[in-house]
Amino acid sequence: MDEQVINTISQTISKIRAQHNNVHGSQEQQWMEKHVTDHQLKEIVPKLSIIAFHILSAIEDDEQTGIQIAKELNVTRGGITRAAKKLIQYDLVRTNQHPDDKKKIYYSLTESGRSLALLHDQLHQTIQSTLVNQLTAKYSQDELQTVSQFLTDLYRLEGEL
């Protein structure tokens, strides 16, 4: 096995992570600001974190607890709590409890929250479509299958470390 190839892969993955964390968030924010049409929501969007947008999308189909959202988004419960407080403040999310379990707090969307969740989903569909078009234009199906298997294995292996 060529150690240089493995080092290059490792370095590239680190660069992708850093770029995703540093640039991706601000690009999402800018896209959302540009595409939101509701005047009131247009004022709120710049005040929300990227985690907040992802929370909106996570609870789009059904209410969830903070623990469930944290697990789905792979972020801390504290991060979910902070973002959720802001979402509640701007009337994008509401909390409720079930009569049979008063300990758990469930988050669900308001109509304004649903509008932003749908817009955020549209952003991710646009990103996905662009990636698919660019990758399928450059790589064969077999090559993409190999990359897919590699990334799946890498994700599994990192989870074991």
Side-chain angles (χ1 to χ4, degrees), residues 15-145:
K15 289 176 185 177
I16 289 170
R17 285 183 181 139
Q19 181 181 36
H20 185 283
N21 292 336
N22 294 333
V23 176
H24 187 65
S26 64
Q27 289 176 337
E28 278 195 39
Q29 188 89 27
Q30 291 169 1
W31 191 94
M32 293 290 291
E33 287 178 43
K34 181 178 177 184
H35 290 85
V36 68
T37 55
D38 180 280
H39 182 69
Q40 189 174 10
L41 292 177
K42 203 174 216 31
E43 291 180 16
I44 294 171
V45 165
K47 300 172 185 173
L48 298 177
S49 67
I50 298 311
I51 296 292
F53 292 119
H54 286 245
I55 290 171
L56 293 174
S57 290
I59 61 175
E60 187 176 343
D61 293 330
D62 197 18
E63 64 181 8
Q64 291 188 45
T65 65
I67 293 170
Q68 291 171 311
I69 298 167
K71 191 177 283 187
E72 180 179 334
L73 299 181
N74 198 25
V75 297
T76 65
R77 283 175 44 194
I80 297 299
T81 301
R82 284 187 298 279
K85 281 181 183 177
K86 196 164 261 198
L87 290 168
I88 293 165
Q89 175 188 342
Y90 291 118
D91 195 34
L92 299 172
V93 166
R94 67 179 148 267
T95 60
N96 43 11
Q97 295 176 308
H98 293 180
D100 57 325
D101 186 356
K102 296 285 187 184
K103 287 186 177 182
K104 291 182 182 172
I105 296 173
Y106 290 85
Y107 297 99
S108 61
L109 296 177
T110 63
E111 282 307 310
S112 294
R114 183 164 306 287
S115 294
L116 282 183
L118 291 171
L119 185 63
H120 185 251
D121 294 346
Q122 188 179 12
L123 161 66
H124 281 276
Q125 289 169 353
T126 301
I127 292 169
Q128 179 73 14
S129 178
T130 301
L131 282 174
V132 166
N133 290 340
Q134 290 179 357
L135 292 175
T136 56
K138 185 170 184 175
Y139 299 101
S140 71
Q141 188 64 35
D142 287 343
E143 290 170 322
L144 290 171
Q145 184 61 43

Side-chain angles (χ1 to χ4, degrees), residues 6 9-10 13 145-155:
I6 297 297
I9 290 169
S10 180
I13 289 169
Q145 184 61 43
T146 300
V147 170
S148 174
Q149 185 61 52
F150 170 80
L151 292 173
T152 301
D153 290 345
L154 178 65
Y155 181 76

